[in-house]
Amino acid sequence: MLDLKRLQKDFDSVVEKLKKKSVKDEVLKELKRLFIALKEKRSELEELQSEQNKKSKLFPIYLKEKKDISTLKKELEENKQKIASKQKIVKELEGELEEYALSVPNIPDDEVPEGKDENDNIEIKRVLEPREFDFEPKEHWELGERLEWIDFERGVKLAKSRFSVLKNGAAKLERALINYMLDFNSKRGFDEVCVPYIVNKESMLSTGQLPKFADDLFKIEGEELYLIPTAEVPLTNLYRDEILKEEQLPILMTGYTACFRKEAGSAGKDTRGMIRQHQFDKVELVSITKPEDSDEIFDKMVECASDLLTSLELPHRLVMLCGGDLGFGATKTVDLEVWLPGQGKYREISSVSNTRDFQARRAKIRYKDGKKNRLVHTLNGSSLAVGRTLIAIMENYQQKDGTIEIPEVLKNYL
RNA sequence: GGACAGGUGGGUGAGCUGGCUGAAACCACAUCCCUGCUAAGGAUGCGUACUGGCAACGGUACCGAGGGUUCGAAUCCCUCCCUGUCCGCCA
């Protein structure tokens, strides 16, 4: 959530910065108006309540002194009505304000390039040269079907489209990758955590999936519970409504979970293969830091993901997302794109974002800075999407005869 | 899922025959005093959010959540959630 005080104070600069995310200034104007109106009404309400409290205290005194209480009682009753109606106004304003405030995205950093979609993203650097093939490299689905590693039809039979089944080498590789990644991250100082795949509404609100992106989530019927679209949600929410000690920070976590996404807006995209599934495995990194440390931790997380790819000898590049491609809660995001020789393209395999205090404000995650409570910064990034890593290994390590070599570092894991 | 018991400040835990309780006491924590030794004693402070004020210091709300009764509720009533124990079920 935006800092509404900042919106009130630096209105023009916030409007300017949010243009990168194409937020209309009318929305911000309305938000500011509601914020100011609410403050005013709230202070009027508090004045009435203060009066009521003072007079209420007279009540037992009057009784003791056997004074007539009928006038006092009448006053109190009248004031009570005033409070009730004022309260109604305040509640309405609060509701409206919340609706607006929760739907406005985070403010991009100054270094974030302008642009409207992925075509305007900026490549930062490339790591490792793509391998030269002396044959036509195949796409992963072809390799997968031929090796009986991936069964697309039966995935659909079990659930629906965009589900698949891993068998044989793929199943083993999937498991090996998860273990390898968790170990890799642990060595970099990220503590391994194992969390629920189902979370409540509050958790989804805190990290920003709700209220705006309900269509992307699988909801449990009859309950206010959702399947997680990423481990970022439970990992970040671990500390929701808590005030942390300064010594606890930074908190660096890594965790494996399955992830579930409806892919509502992706009709027709990546329908072939395993790139875009409703259920996929991911090892995630989440950090909770003091504000002044978050840029450093951000770089550490990007480096961790990039080094992981390098250790698997997978060619990739780092891309700075432009404003239009930036996620709802992010101030800055670096994507890692892995080279897929079958497709002849770099494809997203990891995404590291700094949300600064955006999620922390919603989730009320703070820390004691001396006497004061300050909001922390939260960061999240895929270590790597496991399924896409599997694909990348298949395509990059394929041999002329259609078999797949195994990356050196994974050999101990199989 | 059934029965009973509970949910109070960082922790333990009083209050729960409605007003003097935003909340005793103890522990933990912080600062200070005393003491020279690996201890103890004493003083003060110590919830959160919003809000007024340069500040000192005030105001409002919050005793699991949401409603209700009342001039007034942590205290009474209703609904929900959660925890504990026993039973049932199960990896």
Side-chain angles (χ1 to χ4, degrees), chain A residues 270-403:
Chain A
D270 301 312
T271 47
R272 190 100 197 250
M274 285 214 335
I275 290 265
R276 199 173 295 276
Q277 301 271 286
H278 287 308
Q279 174 188 324
F280 60 96
D281 291 327
K282 185 155 61 74
V283 174
E284 184 78 1
L285 301 171
V286 166
S287 303
I288 296 177
T289 74
K290 294 198 264 181
E292 57 269 31
D293 296 338
S294 74
D295 284 314
E296 188 190 326
I297 301 287
F298 180 86
D299 293 341
K300 181 185 164 102
M301 289 166 72
V302 171
E303 188 182 73
C304 186
S306 176
D307 288 353
L308 181 56
L309 278 169
T310 306
S311 78
L312 291 163
E313 295 176 69
L314 291 171
H316 59 281
R317 62 174 190 172
L318 309 193
V319 169
M320 168 75 75
L321 295 199
C322 71
D325 206 21
L326 210 55
F328 180 72
T331 60
K332 167 167 92 167
T333 296
V334 169
D335 271 9
L336 282 81
E337 298 182 344
V338 70
W339 175 250
L340 293 184
Q343 290 195 8
K345 275 189 205 156
Y346 283 100
R347 295 299 308 256
E348 177 186 344
I349 193 166
S350 168
S351 186
V352 180
S353 298
N354 191 348
T355 78
R356 305 211 183 265
D357 61 11
F358 187 83
Q359 292 178 331
R361 183 172 294 107
R362 291 170 163 237
K364 298 191 180 65
I365 308 175
R366 293 151 293 173
Y367 77 101
K368 277 259 185 248
D369 183 20
K371 272 274 184 198
K372 275 231 181 294
N373 295 324
R374 290 174 70 198
L375 292 169
V376 298
H377 279 191
T378 63
L379 303 96
N380 63 82
S382 350
S383 179
L384 290 180
V386 182
R388 290 188 181 179
T389 310
L390 176 67
I391 292 170
I393 289 172
M394 289 171 71
E395 293 199 9
N396 281 282
Y397 281 80
Q398 61 180 295
Q399 305 302 305
K400 200 166 189 173
D401 62 1
T403 59

Side-chain angles (χ1 to χ4, degrees), chain A residues 1-2 95 98-104 199-214 217 224-229 232-234 236-237 240-241 328-329 355 357-365 378:
Chain A
M1 198 167 81
L2 284 187
E98 191 183 87
E99 203 183 309
Y100 270 89
L102 290 178
S103 303
V104 174
V199 299
N200 55 30
K201 197 177 173 182
E202 290 72 35
S203 298
M204 289 294 189
L205 278 169
S206 295
T207 32
Q209 281 72 25
L210 290 177
K212 258 196 120 173
F213 306 103
L217 300 172
E224 285 294 355
L225 294 171
Y226 303 81
L227 297 183
I228 56 169
E232 169 199 341
V233 178
T236 307
N237 273 280
R240 169 155 51 87
D241 289 322
F328 180 72
T355 78
D357 61 11
F358 187 83
Q359 292 178 331
R361 183 172 294 107
R362 291 170 163 237
K364 298 191 180 65
I365 308 175
T378 63

Side-chain angles (χ1 to χ4, degrees), chain A residues 135-193:
Chain A
F135 58 93
E136 189 67 25
K138 296 185 175 59
E139 299 214 37
H140 71 276
W141 63 76
E142 201 180 333
L143 294 163
E145 279 178 337
R146 221 181 265 184
L147 289 163
E148 291 189 41
W149 275 23
I150 310 175
D151 190 334
F152 294 104
E153 285 83 23
R154 290 199 177 89
V156 176
K157 175 162 78 178
L158 293 177
K160 61 181 234 168
S161 63
R162 291 198 192 279
F163 283 89
S164 55
V165 176
L166 299 182
K167 300 198 289 198
N168 304 316
K172 292 210 179 296
L173 211 45
E174 180 88 0
R175 178 158 60 88
L177 277 169
I178 293 166
N179 288 332
Y180 172 65
M181 289 181 196
L182 288 170
D183 285 347
F184 187 93
N185 296 335
S186 294
K187 280 180 200 140
R188 298 271 172 132
F190 292 85
D191 296 326
E192 191 172 335
V193 188

